[in-house]
Amino acid sequence: MPIRSMTGFAQVRGEIQRPDHSGTAMTGSAASSSHLAFALSLKSVNHRFLDLHFRLPSGTDSLEMQLRRLLKEKMCRGHVEISLNLERTNNETFFLNREIVGGYIAAFRAAAAEFSLASEPDLNAVLRIPGALDSANDTADGAIEAAVMSKVGEALDRLNQMREEEGRGIARELRDRMAHLAEASKSVQQHRRAVLQTYNERLQSRLQELLGTIVDKERILQEAALLVDRSDIQEEIVRLETHVQHLLGLLEAGGEIGKKLDFLLQEMNREANTLLSKTSGLAGEALKITEAGLAMKAEIEKSREQVQNLE
């Protein structure tokens, strides 16, 4: 499975052939068929989990359930907005529902007569009653549902194409940043021995001054050597280099690796912080290690920003 970003957009269009309405309670060009165009849009951005939001016409609950089931099978993470817009074509035919409109007018006039009111129903108000006018967006026969589900696979393919293209770009940047991190690690390694030797010499010299003629001087010097060893940054360097190789291996394997990479970069940041804390307050060669450590942290932080967008 390729590496995918969680950011993408895709839209597909389709058309629904609506059966004629002959034999119903509608009036108009009942013997003819009409068309209903639709646009299905998928828009995704980064999110910790899979978060689906639907904007569908009323009366499409069954369609939403099918879309939700399919998207959960095909996507792992991301905030995804699914929008369906119905677009009437120029030859769209409207049909008057005589039962609804007639019932409303009859009730209106009965109420006017009962309360002795001189009033007639407003046609504009009547036609705004739900169901008074029927158009090609009738979903009773499942035509819209079938047409949209036949197109959702194409929409997902387009969305994943965009997500994969951006994923490849992020992977390239991560590889570049890991290369910079490896260079900074080599720089630290080059200066490490010199810094350790200087630290050891200074510490022993200072202890000699303080100890004077104390008999247990050798024992204290051994403890000083142990302290110097604990101040060594070799362990942090090795772990950083191991983490870099692990991250590159994950990029090579591909798939859903966003959370793994984020955790790995947190560990790398922890090692860089430890490295900097062990060399703080030292001058000379140690300043070059500090510079390299800060460069490491910058690369790690920039990598973490990119990883947040990976599925």
Side-chain angles (χ1 to χ4, degrees), residues 262-281:
D262 188 43
F263 174 77
L264 196 55
L265 286 164
Q266 289 181 49
E267 293 299 309
M268 294 168 73
N269 190 57
R270 190 173 293 114
E271 299 299 338
N273 284 335
T274 304
L275 183 150
L276 286 169
S277 67
K278 284 186 175 183
T279 56
S280 64

Side-chain angles (χ1 to χ4, degrees), residues 137-172:
N137 62 355
D138 182 12
T139 59
D141 56 6
I144 290 180
E145 185 176 313
V148 171
M149 290 307 297
S150 70
K151 284 286 189 177
V152 69
E154 181 184 344
L156 270 171
D157 288 343
R158 292 185 183 181
L159 179 69
N160 284 333
Q161 269 187 339
M162 178 177 283
R163 284 156 54 103
E164 288 167 16
E165 183 177 349
E166 186 167 337
R168 287 191 292 270
I170 292 175
R172 283 194 298 270

